[in-house]
Amino acid sequence: HDTIMLTLFFIKNNREKQITKATPSQSAMKFTAAVSLVAISTLSTAYGFAPAINSRSIASRTPTATNSPIISSRPFASNAAASVTNLSMSASPLTVGIVGATGAVGKEIRGCLEKREFPVGTLRIFGSERSAGKEVETKFGKVTVELFEEDKARECDVVFLAVDGDFALKHAENICAGDDGAVVIDNSSAFRYKEGIPLVVPEINAETTKGKKLIANPNCTTAIGLMAVWPLHKLFGLKKMVMSTYQAASGAGQPGMDELVEGTRAVLAGERDVAENKIFAHPLPFNVIPHIDKFQENGYTKEEMKVTWETRKICGLDDDFPVSCTAVRIPTSRAHSESIVALFDKPVDVAAARKALEEAPGVKLVDDPENLKYPMPLTATGQYDIEVGRLRKNIAFDNALEFFVCGDQLLRGAALNAVVVAEAMIENGALAAKV
């Protein structure tokens, strides 16, 4: 309570300073957004979610559960992957490598390996000259960061790449080449659209990893959305899909989160009327930006086309299957949100759709509007499951459902997906300890 009162007092003082510089409507917008930001930050800390700007990873917290009958969640386990307990007991210990372990996604990969009791015999962390020699405390013991070399990475059983596409293009195929190479799970976009390389959400298409040594992780937006769409596609047969996304600053990495936080602070402190922008196309605080990645010839951005291309490949749909997306950056720190309109071949039934989502692995149904229960970034942050709610028949199209999805893009959209891919590969025999 004291924290809230002191923070609101700070905002009030700064609002009084700003009001002489801005119109009444501008000042009201800033004040309203500031109060919302402070309330979310304070309440999230109070209810067990560390702010994403904290150096401690949110995903290092154990995901919470609920006894509410309205909020339904199955234990997270892929149909294609063994349960955590059985997997850790039955699988031989593996030598696991992480390249880029000090970045946002790399840290979350390490956290998922620890929490899911992945069968790590030896953990090796590879970095640049700047990081080499540093020691990292892990559940698997103290690990000294090694200077990256392809030959060293090839000694591992599996290597998680949490680096940019240029690095992956240069090194990934060399790391996995030959019978003595490592399995490589790449988080970049380098190989997502390359023929013969599986693009995998394990709850959907884990079987495509059999006999493969290089696996591509999908774009975070696609992975989060398809976790909800896939169970409905199996039930009714997807015909078309229209998606609008509301993507957090962390989609641009730590620099994006830092720009949002610093820009918000500068505006609230009265240092600037409009925040500076270096990472985003326009200032993000108190704004939304309908532009993520480069614009293409067809008027869509590359981020939007990724949803189209990747949905087709992951779900095994035709190359011209109709999927449309509008991607928007919003001033939240972590967890992406998506509004989805899905049109189906068969008549839809909301009760059947709800049951399918309740039973889907990795999905939590949060859908009780009367009691203000629906998916939000605040509640999806740090969670392994994606949240889906606001489920209803669309009144503009026949045989269509409309719903809202939130998911932690550093987990379900990146690190967690990569680790569950590895679990599925252990289960199907594509990943094993070298003899």
Side-chain angles (χ1 to χ4, degrees), residues 127-373:
S128 62
E129 290 183 357
R130 184 179 59 182
S131 301
K134 294 181 180 178
E135 291 187 335
V136 179
E137 291 287 350
T138 78
K139 178 181 176 181
F140 314 108
K142 188 177 292 184
V143 178
T144 301
V145 179
E146 304 176 53
L147 180 64
F148 172 79
E149 294 179 15
E150 286 181 358
D151 287 342
K152 290 181 180 179
R154 286 174 56 81
E155 294 170 358
C156 298
D157 298 309
V158 59
V159 174
F160 295 95
L161 295 185
V163 289
D164 61 37
D166 290 339
F167 185 98
L169 284 170
K170 184 176 180 180
H171 299 291
E173 291 177 302
N174 294 335
I175 295 172
C176 68
D179 294 338
D180 58 342
V183 167
V184 174
I185 301 174
D186 176 36
N187 277 277
S188 80
S189 62
F191 299 100
R192 289 175 184 163
Y193 316 119
K194 189 170 181 179
E195 189 174 351
I197 295 180
L199 179 63
V200 180
V201 174
E203 289 80 359
I204 298 175
N205 63 336
E207 71 283 354
T208 62
T209 65
K210 292 180 180 179
K212 302 293 184 178
K213 299 189 68 176
L214 176 55
I215 311 298
N217 225 27
N219 182 46
C220 52
T221 312
T222 309
I224 291 167
L226 289 187
M227 289 293 293
V229 171
W230 180 251
L232 303 176
H233 169 53
K234 290 195 295 182
L235 190 61
F236 304 119
L238 190 64
K239 183 177 181 180
K240 296 179 181 179
M241 183 171 73
V242 178
M243 177 189 293
S244 297
T245 75
Y246 312 90
Q247 298 181 220
S250 53
Q254 190 63 48
M257 291 188 282
D258 292 344
E259 183 167 293
L260 172 63
V261 171
E262 174 55 27
T264 303
R265 185 206 63 77
V267 173
L268 292 179
E271 297 173 7
R272 299 181 63 90
D273 289 333
V274 179
E276 289 185 291
N277 61 294
K278 296 180 180 178
I279 303 300
F280 302 109
H282 298 277
L284 188 57
F286 313 105
N287 193 24
V288 298
I289 306 171
H291 173 196
I292 303 176
D293 213 327
K294 297 178 181 179
F295 280 97
Q296 309 293 292
E297 290 184 2
N298 62 0
Y300 286 81
T301 65
K302 190 174 182 181
E303 179 77 3
E304 293 160 353
M305 290 307 301
K306 286 176 184 177
V307 173
T308 298
W309 298 329
E310 295 178 19
T311 296
R312 292 168 178 169
K313 183 171 181 179
I314 293 168
C315 297
L317 303 171
D318 293 340
D319 291 342
D320 60 351
F321 188 89
V323 175
S324 180
C325 176
T326 297
V328 181
R329 186 75 69 191
I330 65 171
T332 55
S333 189
R334 183 162 168 171
H336 290 348
S337 304
E338 303 170 8
S339 174
I340 299 175
V341 177
L343 286 71
F344 297 96
D345 292 319
K346 300 176 183 177
V348 297
D349 178 84
V350 173
R354 183 183 300 275
K355 185 174 185 294
L357 291 168
E358 287 176 337
E359 295 176 350
V363 175
K364 179 186 293 183
L365 184 64
V366 185
D367 196 21
D368 183 15
E370 289 185 3
N371 291 298
L372 309 184
K373 301 289 187 182

